[in-house]
Amino acid sequence: AKDPVCGMMVDEKKAKLKSDYNGKTFYFCAASCKATFDKSPAKFAGASLENQVLVVVVMITAKPATI
């Protein structure tokens, strides 16, 4: 899983720090990331989805290079 605050990959099976928000479990690499998330979970919970949508939009709207 990806830490929603810093983006670091975290092993869900070994992760000691996690929070549940809107029915989803989020895993963290450090206590500081968990504390940041817990202060405003809505800010980080949707970040990964928003980033994925942005990438798709950019890919669809990008014009191919001309030679």
Side-chain angles (χ1 to χ4, degrees), residues 2 6 10 13-14 17 19 28 32 34 48-49 52 64:
K2 192 174 191 179
C6 71
V10 180
K13 294 174 185 170
K14 296 179 181 177
L17 302 167
S19 290
F28 306 94
S32 58
K34 183 182 186 312
S48 60
L49 177 60
Q52 290 171 10

Side-chain angles (χ1 to χ4, degrees), residues 16-48:
K16 295 178 181 175
L17 302 167
K18 58 185 177 180
S19 290
D20 291 315
Y21 179 72
N22 276 353
K24 184 175 178 187
T25 302
F26 295 88
Y27 299 88
F28 306 94
C29 67
S32 58
C33 284
K34 183 182 186 312
T36 300
F37 178 89
D38 288 343
K39 285 180 187 173
S40 53
K43 179 179 177 181
F44 299 101
S48 60

Side-chain angles (χ1 to χ4, degrees), residues 1-2 4 9 24 26 44-60:
K2 192 174 191 179
M9 293 306 295
K24 184 175 178 187
F26 295 88
F44 299 101
S48 60
L49 177 60
E50 289 168 12
N51 290 343
Q52 290 171 10
V53 170
L54 178 62
V55 169
V56 171
V57 170
V58 169
M59 291 173 65
I60 291 171

